[in-house]
Amino acid sequence: MKKALITGITGQDGSYLAELLLSKGYQVTGMVRRASTETFDRIGHFKDQISLRQADLLDQFSLVKLLDDVQPDEIYNLAAMSFVPTSWSQPVLTGEFTALGVTKVLEAMRMVCPKAHFYQASSSEMFGKVIETPQTEKTPFYPRSPYGVAKAYGHFITVNYRESYNLFAVSGILFNHESPRRGKEFVTRKITDAVARIKLGTQKELRMGNLDAKRDWGFAGDYVRAMWMMLQQDRADDYVIASGETHSVRKFLEIAFSHVGLNYEDYVVIDPEFIRPAEVELLLGNPAKAKAQLGWQPKVSFEQLVTMMVDADMDRQMGKTVTA
């Protein structure tokens, strides 16, 4: 039985990845931080099938002890301060978790279980002010937020440990991926939650920022499958994981509202508070390498993703249980 350790298991990606690994017969351990409020909503329906262990990306000793105890075959480093707007108000903390935290996990792995396979969650936010479209594994980075800068560090330190110590360490450069488990602070879930509330009469309007920003959106369940596939290869390498399509925030609004028979223009109010200091206008990934070398294909389309999220939020608002 293969053993996997997932940092950030209580997040969107961590929960989908844990489900995937359990379905493949893995013994799954999730790393959680000691927090004043425990949030296990996303993993509640399978929590009894996994092991949860406390450790912290900022505490090297706790990471060494955790890896020594678990001795994982695969390590998925998904934990990060992952909300881009917050990285402006907490840039130092973002750097500590999202950048230096990667080094600490890699160093602990090098010391304790150097034969393990390591996955680093890189991000399309590293491309930022894009140099070329679409973006590939060879496109230069030009991050436009403290989060993007920290992710670029995490990406390059992973490459550095792979080349310096011959570790099996890969990075998945994942473009935006959403699901019904996305946090409400993210624009996609903010929209679908508001659509459900407006439809049911408990909310009057939706305040938004830049509607013309374009993103390459996919389904998180599809993207965690790519993470696993990367660690099954004979050789460690980095891959762009994306849908290869780009859509504006406006298009997302249009589909979400029309799914419940409403017109977004009747409810959306532009609020300057939601405009970023430096906006990333267009992200579009080219997943050709992942498709050719990994055999990966996304299964959920953009429209299916949006309507899936709206349906889940409608169910939530009506008091139904959602595990999608």
Side-chain angles (χ1 to χ4, degrees):
M1 184 185 282
K2 271 192 174 180
K3 292 183 285 185
L5 172 68
I6 304 172
T7 75
I9 194 167
T10 59
Q12 169 187 257
D13 292 6
S15 66
Y16 280 110
L17 178 62
E19 279 181 323
L20 176 71
L21 296 178
L22 286 171
S23 76
K24 293 183 180 297
Y26 278 66
Q27 186 177 320
V28 178
T29 300
M31 185 185 102
V32 293
R33 277 193 303 147
R34 176 76 187 92
S36 53
T37 55
E38 305 288 6
T39 53
F40 297 133
D41 301 353
R42 297 182 182 96
I43 62 171
H45 57 292
F46 60 81
K47 191 162 167 258
D48 58 345
Q49 299 173 58
I50 61 175
S51 169
L52 294 177
R53 300 286 299 270
Q54 284 188 4
D56 198 299
L57 286 184
L58 303 188
D59 184 344
Q60 183 81 51
F61 179 76
S62 73
L63 295 172
V64 169
K65 185 170 188 323
L66 176 62
L67 291 184
D68 195 37
D69 289 348
V70 175
Q71 290 293 328
D73 300 294
E74 296 173 5
I75 301 166
Y76 295 87
N77 185 40
L78 310 185
M81 206 303 296
S82 62
F83 186 48
V84 176
T86 301
S87 76
W88 295 103
S89 58
Q90 297 182 25
V92 175
L93 187 68
T94 298
E96 288 174 337
F97 273 114
T98 308
L100 289 178
V102 186
T103 316
K104 291 179 180 178
V105 179
L106 283 164
E107 188 61 14
M109 171 183 161
R110 185 177 75 86
M111 293 165 62
V112 176
C113 49
K115 297 295 183 199
H117 286 195
F118 175 85
Y119 172 86
Q120 165 60 15
S122 286
S123 166
S124 59
E125 289 286 331
M126 301 186 304
F127 295 121
K129 190 176 181 179
V130 297
I131 309 295
E132 63 181 9
T133 298
Q135 294 89 56
T136 72
E137 293 79 6
K138 292 184 165 57
T139 303
F141 299 145
Y142 195 148
R144 297 272 281 170
S145 66
Y147 171 79
V149 172
K151 278 292 185 184
Y153 174 98
H155 180 85
F156 281 124
I157 201 69
T158 301
V159 173
N160 190 257
Y161 267 67
R162 176 169 74 219
E163 295 178 352
S164 302
Y165 301 116
N166 199 29
L167 298 181
F168 193 107
V170 310
S171 284
I173 307 171
L174 270 56
F175 279 66
N176 294 60
H177 47 289
E178 318 295 321
S179 75
R181 298 181 195 172
R182 194 53 140 158
K184 285 187 195 175
E185 68 274 21
F186 291 88
V187 68
T188 50
R189 182 73 201 293
K190 174 183 171 178
I191 291 169
T192 60
D193 180 63
V195 166
R197 291 172 186 273
I198 289 169
K199 179 65 177 175
L200 296 171
T202 58
Q203 187 171 323
K204 295 270 193 292
E205 63 180 25
L206 170 58
R207 304 187 83 79
M208 295 288 295
N210 179 11
L211 302 190
D212 297 318
K214 291 184 174 178
R215 293 291 183 272
D216 183 328
W217 276 300
F219 172 52
D222 285 337
Y223 287 37
V224 300
R225 191 161 30 87
M227 298 177 187
W228 174 79
M229 292 170 111
M230 287 179 217
L231 295 197
Q232 311 316 306
Q233 302 306 301
D234 294 330
R235 190 173 68 86
D237 205 350
D238 304 324
Y239 299 88
V240 162
I241 304 299
S243 74
E245 299 176 4
T246 190
H247 302 275
S248 66
V249 175
R250 191 183 305 278
K251 186 66 179 173
F252 196 107
L253 284 163
E254 202 176 285
I255 295 170
F257 274 91
S258 67
H259 185 56
V260 295
L262 300 175
N263 182 351
Y264 81 94
E265 292 173 324
D266 296 335
Y267 303 96
V268 172
V269 177
I270 302 303
D271 187 337
E273 183 192 330
F274 296 114
I275 306 288
R276 293 181 187 179
E279 181 61 89
V280 176
E281 295 294 343
L282 168 67
L283 289 174
L284 173 61
N286 179 353
K289 181 179 171 184
K291 288 181 174 181
Q293 294 186 17
L294 303 177
W296 176 80
Q297 287 283 351
K299 295 176 180 175
V300 177
S301 72
F302 176 65
E303 286 214 9
Q304 287 172 325
L305 172 65
V306 179
T307 55
M308 172 204 303
M309 291 177 68
V310 171
D311 288 342
D313 275 319
M314 287 292 290
D315 284 347
R316 277 194 192 93
Q317 292 304 316
M318 294 188 286
K320 297 177 184 173
T321 303
V322 175
T323 59

